[in-house]
Amino acid sequence: MSVETTTESAPAPKRGTNILLGLTLLGLLLALWLALGLSTHAFWTPNNISNLLRQGAMTAILAVGQTFVIITAGIDLSVGAIVGFTTVVIAGLLQAGVPLWIAIILTLLIGVAIGAFHGFGIVRMGLPPFIITLATLTSLRGIGLLITNGSTISISHEGFTNFSRADFLGVPSLFWMVVLVAIPAFVFLHLSRFGRYLFAVGSNSEAARLSGVNVNRTIYLAYILSATCAAFVGLLLASRIGIGNATQAEGWELQAIASSVIGGTSLFGAVGSVHGPLLGAFILATINNGANLLNINSFWQRIITGLLIIVIVYFDQLRRRGSR
């Protein structure tokens, strides 16, 4: 009985702080949209807004998955490679005549298996998250290129490829996929005991273990969720570009980490939310979109992203020092 009571009192994120941060990020996003709307006539066109939502949607889903891992004080460097690899998987399955719904399920199960492998490497083999996920990043790129012999696999299933180009209620279908992921992710992270376990493990894994939290299972769960989100994004990307290519989504793992950090997730663990990384992803998408409209050198986009990360991590360190 005492173990159960202690477990339920595991650390949880401060909702007031999360709400304040969310409002700040939303204000920043709206300010960027207003500034770009005043500085360029093309920004507020329906075609550009639709393109912006599609650009940010896949990064947003990756960022949500990455957030689960970072909250446990881990990292997943493999998500971009998982995206590229799963485009090859779904393209190959469809080309082989596998029914669409079976191909989708099998592709998502591959994401689950990769996440479980990461959990096994961390929990059972004692490998640092950085190492095991970096190894997966490299291996999946190689496996994908080996399967395709360095080429691409075309997707001729029109129902699948038309999905990413469709709208529902005037909003791109890809953005609705963000909503589809965000709602259960919010419930899981903020309203369930398993979400509280993630924060407890990220705060102090040994204290969480002594409090009755199954730390190993929690780590497995975090990495499975991250890899499954990446596999889901692979499906969406394959639908959008109409091919399977192992080299796709290169560098997206950094975009996912940046979105999560900009959204207030602490790289030291135990701090994070669902809405923050979503807003962070669309802030980055807006910066990239605006830079393209204003004909700013694309290299500046990376510089701005890097500076944002430095500033936010610095203030996160100041917050942690002040709370001691």
Side-chain angles (χ1 to χ4, degrees), residues 15-79:
R15 293 186 179 180
T17 302
N18 279 341
I19 292 173
L20 179 60
L21 176 61
L23 291 175
T24 303
L25 292 171
L26 182 60
L28 174 59
L29 181 61
L30 293 176
L32 286 172
W33 281 39
L34 179 61
L36 289 172
L38 294 174
S39 59
T40 172
H41 297 294
F43 181 78
W44 283 110
T45 60
N47 184 56
N48 184 65
I49 294 298
S50 179
N51 185 47
L52 173 60
L53 293 178
R54 288 188 173 94
Q55 286 176 340
M58 289 183 281
T59 304
I61 295 172
L62 280 183
V64 170
Q66 187 73 239
T67 298
F68 293 133
V69 169
I70 296 178
I71 285 174
T72 66
I75 199 77
D76 189 350
L77 298 178
S78 69
V79 293

Side-chain angles (χ1 to χ4, degrees), residues 40 60 69 94 113-114 176 178 184 193 206 212 257 266 271-272:
T40 172
V69 169
L94 292 177
I114 293 172
W176 286 113
V178 177
R193 64 176 182 174
E206 182 59 21
I257 294 169
S266 174
V271 176

Side-chain angles (χ1 to χ4, degrees), residues 118-155:
H118 289 158
F120 179 83
I122 295 166
V123 171
R124 299 300 180 188
M125 300 176 66
L127 297 175
F130 178 90
I131 296 300
I132 186 66
T133 58
L134 178 62
T136 303
L137 182 158
T138 305
S139 300
L140 285 182
R141 293 291 187 194
I143 294 171
L145 291 170
L146 189 64
I147 292 173
T148 61
N149 198 27
S151 61
T152 61
I153 303 175
S154 298
I155 300 175

